[in-house]
Amino acid sequence: MTDAIQAALDAASSFIWGPFFLIPLLLIVGVYLTVRLRGLQFRVLFHALWLALVRRTEKGGAKGDISHYQALSTALAATVGVGNIAGAALAIGVGGPGALFWMWITGLLGMATKYCEALLGVKYRRPDSKGEMSGGPMFYLRYGLAEKFGPGSAGAKLGVVLGFLFALFGAVASFGIGNMTQANAVAGQLESTFSVPTWASGIAMVVLVGAVILGGIKSIGRFAAGVVPIMIIAYVVSAVLVLVVHVTEIPAALALIVTDAFTGTAAVGGFAGAAFIIAMQQGMARGIFSNESGLGTGGIAAAAAKTVQPVRQAMVSMTQTFIDTLVVVTMTGLVIIVTGAWSSQADTGDGALMTNWAMTEAFGGISPALAPVGGYVVAISLMFFAFTTLVGWSYYGERCLDFLVGRAAVLPFRLLFVAVVYVGATSELSLAWTFSDVANGLMAVPNLIGLLLLGGVIVAETKKYFSDPDWKKPDLVDARNGD
């Protein structure tokens, strides 16, 4: 029975994440939104980074629960995970160096998609019965489509159905990709690197996760803002050290990435070679899986931000995709390529082992005594990345369940989520991994339909915001508008 379920889930996952369904759909929507917004993600990126990392918060009494920066950190907590290390490395091992090029494409187009999700998430958010903000695809599907087509219309009814489906898939996915698989990754790393029994790491995670998420979004926001920047900077600095050691190989690596994206490259060490379609499929699938642009989760985190301007929070939110894919994933990809791990270690079939080997070789090149440091960098980074993903996804699942059932379900959800962490840490999860892939992919379908149907709303809000000649001076704009 289990084998039959696994086979069915494998088939569903292969179709959903294959070259004929979700990948082209996400690509088409990303191109469409980029064109309609006239490449906004390229034009305002530096201002968006200034809002996110320097200004950080709105002044005055803006509605919301957490600051711009905390909302961004929460979104990064959920997306910068195992996929940034193991997933990116495996994609290059299977698809060749060109897969990194297609990950870049998903990041560049995904910034526009993430911008749109966040804008709509803030615009159509609603306070729950305790006054906390709730938003995301389930809200802009229900309320946005009703506003566009009129209450009681076929479009409004479609929005109700799509909103329900997104919330259902999101609640389910939060226990899979957002919980058990992440807890399993942390426990596995602690056991293999430090010989910590899985039951012990499971108990420790239950305590730590409970301490963070039982306090709600404000507690999650404070945790994410404190931990996420440190873990990202530490990993990037470690990767940069590797690249310094292999600095002479970087130009050739960049050339290989571009040429292999369109031609495919035969690798050594038993690797059969990567055709164009494989490189594209692997890069796109892993890029989307990593930055979640198109899945709709960014709109949930954005809705909690204290802001009076949906466009402003949307700019902040799109930097999450930039940081996740164009910074962190790029670091992993370049390390895998310049060290040769993409070919010599591809037959391991394990992205974490590939990255571990690459880091160990590079640090050993500095000094043999430093070789073990590379392995510790990967192990510790994986643990932190997976743990913060777990915390971030708890909020996504909570908001989805709040939409489906109401605020009364939030505390039981948090308690169940914490308990399931132990199950994930101590169990074999082949079914859970595949099931989470399916649920994760299914979240994107209603969200992408909503983004296409509400494209006019997105463009109108964007034009209105940028029509103000002082849009680069948010304090002045807010003071003039009385916000």
Side-chain angles (χ1 to χ4, degrees):
M1 180 65 177
T2 302
D3 290 341
I5 295 173
Q6 182 70 59
L9 287 174
D10 285 339
S13 179
S14 296
F15 172 73
I16 290 170
W17 290 99
F20 305 111
F21 184 57
L22 196 54
I23 291 175
L25 182 59
L26 284 157
L27 182 60
I28 290 167
V29 172
V31 171
Y32 169 76
L33 294 173
T34 296
V35 171
R36 291 214 63 179
L37 293 169
R38 295 184 298 142
L40 176 140
Q41 69 266 44
F42 311 116
R43 294 186 288 113
V44 302
L45 175 60
F46 290 110
H47 180 69
L49 288 168
W50 175 77
L51 287 173
L53 304 178
V54 179
R55 189 170 187 261
R56 293 192 175 199
T57 188
E58 296 280 83
K59 297 179 180 179
K63 293 180 180 179
D65 305 309
I66 55 179
S67 69
H68 281 315
Y69 180 69
Q70 289 173 330
L72 171 64
S73 297
T74 300
L76 281 168
T79 55
V80 177
V82 175
N84 292 74
I85 298 176
L90 186 59
I92 294 169
V94 174
L100 181 56
F101 176 88
W102 294 109
M103 285 186 246
W104 290 341
I105 296 299
T106 66
L108 294 171
L109 295 177
M111 288 169 66
T113 308
K114 188 75 72 173
Y115 170 89
C116 297
E117 291 171 348
L119 187 155
L120 295 174
V122 174
K123 180 175 175 60
Y124 292 106
R125 64 184 178 176
R126 300 284 191 279
D128 65 15
S129 60
K130 285 202 171 183
E132 290 185 357
M133 286 296 180
S134 286
M138 56 282 200
F139 284 85
Y140 56 72
L141 286 165
R142 172 178 286 184
Y143 299 110
L145 293 184
E147 180 182 272
K148 177 181 176 68
F149 295 106
S153 64
K157 292 176 182 177
L158 174 65
V160 171
V161 173
L162 293 177
F164 170 82
L165 289 174
F166 176 87
L168 177 64
F169 295 141
V172 171
S174 70
F175 285 103
I177 190 64
N179 186 320
M180 289 191 289
T181 54
Q182 306 301 327
N184 191 263
V186 174
Q189 286 297 319
L190 283 170
E191 184 177 42
S192 62
T193 307
F194 303 106
S195 301
V196 178
T198 55
W199 65 264
S201 55
I203 291 173
M205 277 190 285
V206 164
V207 173
L208 292 172
V209 171
V212 176
I213 74 170
L214 291 177
I217 184 58
K218 292 182 179 179
S219 175
I220 293 171
R222 287 193 297 269
F223 168 81
V227 173
V228 171
I230 294 173
M231 77 176 192
I232 290 176
I233 291 170
Y235 180 74
V236 169
V237 168
S238 299
V240 168
L241 288 175
V242 173
L243 297 179
V244 169
V245 172
H246 291 272
V247 65
T248 56
E249 285 96 347
I250 292 177
L254 293 173
L256 181 61
I257 289 165
V258 176
T259 56
D260 187 63
F262 302 98
T263 62
T265 297
V268 297
F271 185 59
F276 158 70
I277 190 66
I278 299 175
M280 183 178 184
Q281 180 183 351
Q282 286 293 320
M284 289 263 189
R286 284 300 118 189
I288 293 162
F289 203 74
S290 172
N291 62 50
E292 296 181 7
S293 295
L295 298 190
T297 51
I300 301 175
K306 293 179 180 178
T307 185
V308 295
Q309 294 285 358
V311 169
R312 199 177 292 158
Q313 179 57 40
M315 286 190 284
V316 171
S317 294
M318 79 177 188
T319 65
Q320 174 249 306
T321 300
F322 175 82
I323 294 168
D324 176 280
T325 303
L326 298 172
V327 176
V328 182
V329 165
T330 296
M331 290 295 104
T332 298
L334 287 175
V335 165
I336 293 297
I337 295 167
V338 299
T339 59
W342 73 275
S343 56
S344 65
Q345 301 299 306
D347 56 358
T348 65
D350 188 320
L353 287 178
M354 291 173 65
T355 310
N356 191 311
W357 182 89
M359 287 282 194
T360 300
E361 285 291 304
F363 276 86
I366 299 172
S367 168
L370 292 177
V373 174
Y376 290 133
V377 166
V378 174
I380 294 170
S381 296
L382 275 171
M383 286 187 290
F384 273 96
F385 283 17
F387 183 82
T388 56
T389 296
L390 197 156
V391 170
W393 263 89
S394 72
Y395 181 67
Y396 296 162
E398 169 190 310
R399 291 297 94 185
C400 287
L401 200 65
D402 178 50
F403 178 84
L404 292 170
V405 181
R407 178 72 197 199
V410 168
L411 181 57
F413 170 85
R414 291 175 183 170
L415 294 172
L416 178 60
F417 192 91
V418 170
V420 170
V421 168
Y422 185 81
V423 177
T426 57
S427 305
E428 292 294 327
L429 294 177
S430 57
L431 272 175
W433 274 104
T434 314
F435 185 71
S436 65
D437 272 359
V438 172
N440 213 227
L442 289 175
M443 291 170 64
V445 178
N447 178 57
L448 293 173
I449 293 172
L451 293 180
L452 290 172
L453 292 176
L454 294 171
V457 176
I458 296 165
V459 172
E461 287 283 336
T462 301
K463 285 183 176 179
K464 178 182 176 183
Y465 181 85
F466 289 107
S467 65
D468 190 325
D470 295 318
W471 63 266
K472 287 187 177 180
K473 303 172 182 177
D475 294 336
L476 177 61
V477 172
D478 291 347
R480 190 171 62 231
N481 294 336
D483 295 325

